[in-house]
């Protein structure tokens, strides 16, 4: 008696799909990585929209006012998801990716953390964390750029929407510091972490 065909995912099926995705990345994305990064930059590096809520109170209208949503977010979200999958894919090697992660790129990327969209900041946090983990040669540069962002917050006192997300990344980075601390890390604690306790805009 023959058995009926079973539905659902099997380990072999998942493995085959993963292999196909990897092959697609190798065949399509890697040879055109320059164009892919250019596409990502052109889409995500933009003036952040100002999302506002209606000034009418709930009691005045009888209807709860919903927050406006950036009409371009559906498109932007797809770009972020593409970027995230690009970073974590093993077929995209460090030597390929690191040339695109320049100080200018990181600076512009960090500016996006001021987005009012929590879901966008979450994508940014995940992508930056993955970039930091993957691109060991760029870690010092990324830490320096994050420090400069917090210097502005500490000394200029302006509101910055992505402070908590960047602090999450710093917490992960700090957990990897070796003991005794290097001089660079001691300076980091003295100039960034300790002064942040006095900042009210985080």
């Amino acid at each position: 008696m023959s058995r009926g065909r079973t539905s659902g995912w099997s380990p072999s099926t998942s493995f085959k799909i993963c292999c196909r995705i990897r092959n697609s990345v190798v065949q399509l994305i890697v040879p055109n990585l320059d164009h892919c990064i250019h596409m990502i930059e052109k889409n995500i590096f933009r003036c952040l929209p100002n999302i506002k809520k209606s000034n009418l109170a709930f009691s005045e209208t009888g209807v709860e006012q919903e927050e406006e949503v950036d009409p371009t977010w559906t498109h932007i979200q797809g770009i972020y998801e593409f970027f995230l999958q690009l970073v974590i894919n093993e077929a995209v090697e460090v030597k390929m990716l690191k040339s695109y992660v320049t100080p200018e790129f990181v600076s512009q990327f960090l500016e996006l953390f001021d987005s009012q969209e929590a879901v966008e900041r979450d994508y940014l946090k995940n992508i930056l964390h993955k970039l930091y983990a993957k691109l060991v040669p760029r870690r010092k540069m990324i830490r320096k750029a994050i420090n400069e962002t917090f210097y502005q917050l500490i000394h200029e006192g302006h509101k910055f929407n992505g402070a908590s997300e960047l602090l999450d990344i710093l917490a992960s980075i700090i957990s990897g510091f070796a003991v005794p601390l290097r001089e660079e890390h001691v300076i980091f604690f003295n100039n960034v972490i300790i002064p942040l306790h006095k900042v009210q805009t985080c």
Side-chain angles (χ1 to χ4, degrees):
M1 181 177 179
S2 61
R3 295 181 179 179
R5 181 175 297 180
T6 59
S7 60
W9 296 100
S10 67
S12 60
T13 301
S14 299
F15 177 76
K16 290 177 181 178
I17 292 176
C18 289
C19 288
R20 289 175 184 172
I21 293 173
R22 180 181 173 85
N23 289 337
S24 296
V25 171
V26 172
Q27 295 171 9
L28 300 176
I29 304 301
V30 171
N32 298 288
L33 190 58
D34 186 64
H35 296 293
C36 291
I37 299 297
H38 182 71
M39 179 272 293
I40 291 169
E41 291 176 339
K42 287 297 184 182
N43 281 274
I44 67 173
F45 294 157
R46 69 204 193 282
C47 293
L48 294 172
N50 185 21
I51 307 299
K52 296 181 179 179
K53 284 186 176 181
S54 173
N55 292 326
L56 296 177
F58 175 81
S59 58
E60 296 176 3
T61 63
V63 179
E64 185 176 358
Q65 300 299 315
E66 294 184 356
E67 192 174 75
E68 294 180 8
V69 178
D70 179 8
T72 66
W73 171 244
T74 302
H75 168 74
I76 298 296
Q77 184 178 21
I79 303 299
Y80 277 127
E81 187 62 39
F82 174 82
F83 192 14
L84 178 61
Q85 296 304 317
L86 183 71
V87 172
I88 65 178
N89 196 293
E90 294 180 358
V92 181
E93 299 177 356
V94 171
K95 63 181 180 181
M96 300 176 185
L97 193 57
K98 72 176 184 179
S99 62
Y100 301 101
V101 183
T102 63
E104 181 182 3
F105 178 91
V106 174
S107 177
Q108 289 182 279
F109 194 81
L110 289 176
E111 288 177 4
L112 295 173
F113 275 85
D114 200 27
S115 171
Q116 293 177 303
E117 294 279 5
V119 65
E120 178 169 14
R121 298 197 303 271
D122 194 53
Y123 267 109
L124 292 164
K125 181 179 73 171
N126 288 335
I127 292 171
L128 185 59
H129 190 270
K130 298 299 183 184
L131 282 171
Y132 186 88
K134 185 168 187 171
L135 302 182
V136 176
R138 294 289 182 264
R139 287 183 179 179
K140 186 174 182 179
M141 181 190 72
I142 292 173
R143 290 198 304 270
K144 181 180 178 182
I146 294 175
N147 290 351
E148 290 174 353
T149 299
F150 278 119
Y151 287 152
Q152 294 177 9
L153 183 62
I154 292 167
H155 298 293
E156 298 178 12
H158 64 83
K159 187 179 186 301
F160 184 71
N161 293 313
S164 62
E165 285 80 9
L166 287 180
L167 284 172
D168 285 343
I169 295 174
L170 283 183
S172 177
I173 292 174
I174 290 170
S175 67
F177 284 175
V179 178
L181 293 174
R182 291 158 50 185
E183 183 180 359
E184 172 199 347
H185 299 157
V186 173
I187 294 173
F188 162 72
F189 277 103
N190 289 334
N191 294 349
V192 178
I193 297 300
I194 295 176
L196 275 175
H197 285 78
K198 300 179 181 180
V199 177
Q200 301 298 320
T201 54
C202 289

